[in-house]
Amino acid sequence: MTGVSRDRTPGLDVAFHLHSQTNPQQLKAQGPAVIERGEGVRIFDSSGKEFIDGMSGLWCASLGFGNKRLAEVIYEHSKRIGYYHTFFSRTSHEVSLLAEELATRSLIENAHVYFATSGSEANETMVKLAWVYHTVRGNPGKRKVISRRKSFHGSTIAAASMCGLQTMHREFALPIPGFLHVSFPDMYRGMDDGETAEQYSDRLAAELELMIVREGADTVAAFIAEPIMAGAGVVAPPQDYFRKIKAVLDKYDVLLLDDEIVTGFARTGNWFGRQTTNMQPHMMALAKGLTSSYFPMSAVVMAPEIYEAVAEFNKSGSFFGHGFTNSGHPVGAAVALECLKIYEEMDVVPHVRAMGERLKSHLREIAAGSSIVGDIRGVGLMFGIELVNDKDTKAPFAPAFGAGFKCDTFSVENGLVARATGDCLVLAPPLVVTEADVDEIAERFGKALKQFQASIGR
Ligand SMILES: Cc1ncc(COP(=O)(O)O)c(C=O)c1O
């Protein structure tokens, strides 16, 4: 708004705005950080200070900030129509084209695509579709959903129930009944002494099987997993983990739901995380990189048997009883198509692999010279840097000490936005990073880490 003093923003924000994932008392005491503009991998706050956003916002702004081409697409399509929906057989050219693009890229043969607005909605849609699928096949009792501890799947009630995080449950007395959690594959801390990766996968698959059998296979609908767990601190499974998990799921007719909301669109150095981790899902949830978050849009890609179940259920003429006002928004679809075009033009997969390798080798060098970096992990352009009190024993810092948050503060002071998930610092920069950007991210991070170490006498 022109003519309104920007100096009022912090006061207005504290007075009127309830923030996501923010401590209200801290916000009142310190005020918000006002972010004003962005350019490529950089953002600028209201004082003009520049930061590299090493997290692409929330793992989403894959094409960086202030992208003019995406802005033009939004302007042109808004001028032309601005909004229309996809209820009652309505569609647009952009939505149909995008459905084709996503279906053919997904690696699910003869797939159909459903559109929604957020990642949470896409994940919840997958659960509802799993319920329809089992009902049509004569198994309406198959309702339960299994996910993994420490996983993140969203904030709406069922999506939050699928999260394996106490922080997403405690205020709301979640999870709701029927949402269960098993161990996640933690190659840094979870493996027994002398256990091979294959034995570890077997053990995790056996734990899942035991849960399905105990609950009753006739009550379990689906298992949902991120190919690589983002919010858990960039946790990748052993190579054969999903193959072994899938064998258990197939044995008990439990669907595999792939939450690609972070890992989709080249984040892991393949078009989809499922390729990086050998996952063979029945459905995939897409968001974030789909539109680089320039427009709130998500999608579910489903195997033909899921689509056919919906058709079968409604064969007597009823409508599929699901839909969001902004499902298949034509402006969002146009933005997504432009993103796909840009990803192709920049040859995104090899670019991400090359930039990721460069960043990883910098991070390894930093870790080698540090007494508190216990683990560097990640693939493509998503990395976790785990801070520990003792590198040899992997003993963590006391949780109350907040090593991750403290180190993160030094990072921000050095002009790098990272993210602390516990004592793991995460980096997932926009996919448009250049070699010079990568070098600068590493330099800023290395400086911040040294300053944090000095501050604690390490
Ligand atoms: C893996 C994963 N799934 C689902 C979501 C939820 O997406 P949204 O916040 O758009 O609902 C997120 C958000 O960060 C995510 O990281």
Side-chain angles (χ1 to χ4, degrees):
M1 268 195 305
T2 50
V4 175
S5 166
R6 290 176 182 272
D7 297 347
R8 294 179 64 214
T9 302
L12 291 178
D13 198 76
V14 170
F16 296 111
H17 178 193
L18 173 63
H19 283 241
S20 302
Q21 301 287 355
T22 297
N23 178 271
Q25 307 302 340
Q26 190 184 345
L27 180 77
K28 275 190 216 169
Q30 297 174 5
V34 182
I35 308 302
E36 283 219 341
R37 66 184 185 90
E39 210 177 297
V41 301
R42 290 170 166 76
I43 54 168
F44 299 83
D45 73 10
S46 51
S47 71
K49 184 170 161 49
E50 170 261 359
F51 303 84
I52 295 181
D53 191 331
M55 274 307 296
S56 313
L58 295 171
W59 320 82
C60 54
S62 298
L63 295 176
F65 303 93
N67 185 299
K68 304 281 183 295
R69 265 174 77 174
L70 297 181
E72 293 287 336
V73 167
I74 292 169
Y75 177 64
E76 287 303 324
H77 284 77
S78 299
K79 248 191 335 187
R80 181 139 62 78
I81 183 154
Y83 169 76
Y84 216 71
H85 61 82
T86 53
F87 286 32
F88 324 129
S89 305
R90 311 289 201 272
T91 195
S92 64
H93 296 302
E94 291 76 16
V95 165
S96 312
L97 273 176
L98 181 61
E100 182 199 26
E101 283 282 351
L102 299 181
T104 47
R105 283 167 195 271
S106 71
L107 308 176
I108 295 177
E109 263 182 58
N110 301 316
H112 273 74
V113 180
Y114 180 82
F115 290 106
T117 318
S118 68
S120 303
E121 287 172 0
N123 280 337
E124 295 223 7
T125 298
M126 292 202 294
V127 171
K128 287 171 91 173
L129 289 169
W131 289 343
V132 180
Y133 169 81
H134 288 302
T135 299
V136 164
R137 287 164 52 99
N139 301 309
K142 281 173 91 67
R143 305 279 298 174
K144 292 176 189 164
V145 177
I146 302 175
S147 56
R148 285 130 12 123
R149 295 189 192 98
K150 273 192 126 180
S151 61
F152 188 85
H153 296 294
S155 297
T156 48
I157 292 172
S161 293
M162 290 189 265
C163 292
L165 295 164
Q166 215 238 338
T167 49
M168 295 298 289
H169 294 162
R170 64 199 161 81
E171 279 156 299
F172 318 106
L174 292 174
I176 50 176
F179 286 76
L180 311 163
H181 302 89
V182 287
S183 301
F184 67 100
D186 179 355
M187 307 253 303
Y188 183 55
R189 290 190 186 279
M191 291 171 73
D192 289 338
D193 283 345
E195 192 175 43
T196 64
E198 192 177 356
Q199 289 164 341
Y200 185 40
S201 296
D202 282 331
R203 180 155 63 85
L204 293 169
E207 181 193 330
L208 174 65
E209 180 159 14
L210 189 64
M211 177 177 274
I212 294 172
V213 170
R214 271 204 193 131
E215 293 291 325
D218 55 345
T219 70
V220 182
F223 175 81
I224 184 167
E226 304 159 76
I228 291 176
M229 299 171 78
V234 188
V235 176
Q239 266 308 305
D240 58 357
Y241 167 82
F242 277 116
R243 190 175 56 77
K244 290 177 189 273
I245 291 288
K246 182 77 174 3
V248 171
L249 299 176
D250 286 349
K251 186 168 163 191
Y252 297 103
D253 190 20
V254 175
L255 297 180
L256 176 57
L257 314 183
D258 173 9
D259 180 343
E260 291 270 0
I261 287 160
V262 167
T263 53
F265 304 100
R267 174 59 66 190
T268 70
N270 282 300
W271 267 99
F272 296 105
R274 58 171 290 185
Q275 293 159 280
T276 307
T277 56
N278 301 315
M279 201 175 178
Q280 302 280 336
H282 297 91
M283 289 184 251
M284 296 159 68
L286 311 172
K288 298 193 190 264
L290 171 63
T291 59
S292 196
S293 282
Y294 277 58
F295 202 93
M297 186 176 216
S298 62
V300 172
V301 186
M302 70 199 81
E305 59 270 30
I306 311 292
Y307 175 80
E308 290 307 333
V310 176
E312 175 67 21
F313 191 94
N314 293 294
K315 68 179 176 212
S316 59
S318 51
F319 287 169
F320 175 43
H322 183 67
F324 305 100
T325 302
N326 292 304
S327 286
H329 196 297
V331 181
V335 174
L337 287 169
E338 191 68 12
C339 284
L340 292 176
K341 214 166 169 198
I342 299 173
Y343 292 141
E344 293 289 359
E345 285 170 16
M346 66 185 272
D347 216 354
V348 68
V349 165
H351 176 74
V352 166
R353 289 183 184 183
M355 294 305 109
E357 279 309 312
R358 191 176 182 96
L359 184 52
K360 193 187 253 180
S361 84
H362 281 310
L363 293 175
R364 287 214 166 118
E365 211 172 292
I366 290 169
S370 161
S371 59
I372 62 165
V373 175
D375 193 26
I376 295 282
R377 51 180 178 258
V379 62
L381 274 170
M382 56 192 295
F383 292 102
I385 303 140
E386 185 154 338
L387 307 182
V388 291
N389 202 7
D390 187 319
K391 276 171 86 151
D392 295 331
T393 64
K394 303 183 185 175
F397 287 102
F401 177 60
F405 281 111
K406 285 187 172 132
C407 187
D408 191 33
T409 306
F410 281 101
S411 178
V412 171
E413 278 169 14
N414 280 283
L416 175 67
V417 177
R419 174 156 162 193
T421 63
D423 285 346
C424 184
L425 285 155
V426 174
L427 287 172
L431 307 186
V432 292
V433 276
T434 61
E435 288 186 352
D437 296 330
V438 165
D439 296 350
E440 212 165 332
I441 290 170
E443 195 191 319
R444 292 181 189 192
F445 180 73
K447 222 161 132 191
L449 183 69
K450 271 198 183 132
Q451 289 168 0
F452 170 58
Q453 288 187 199
S455 76
I456 59 170
R458 297 289 294 269

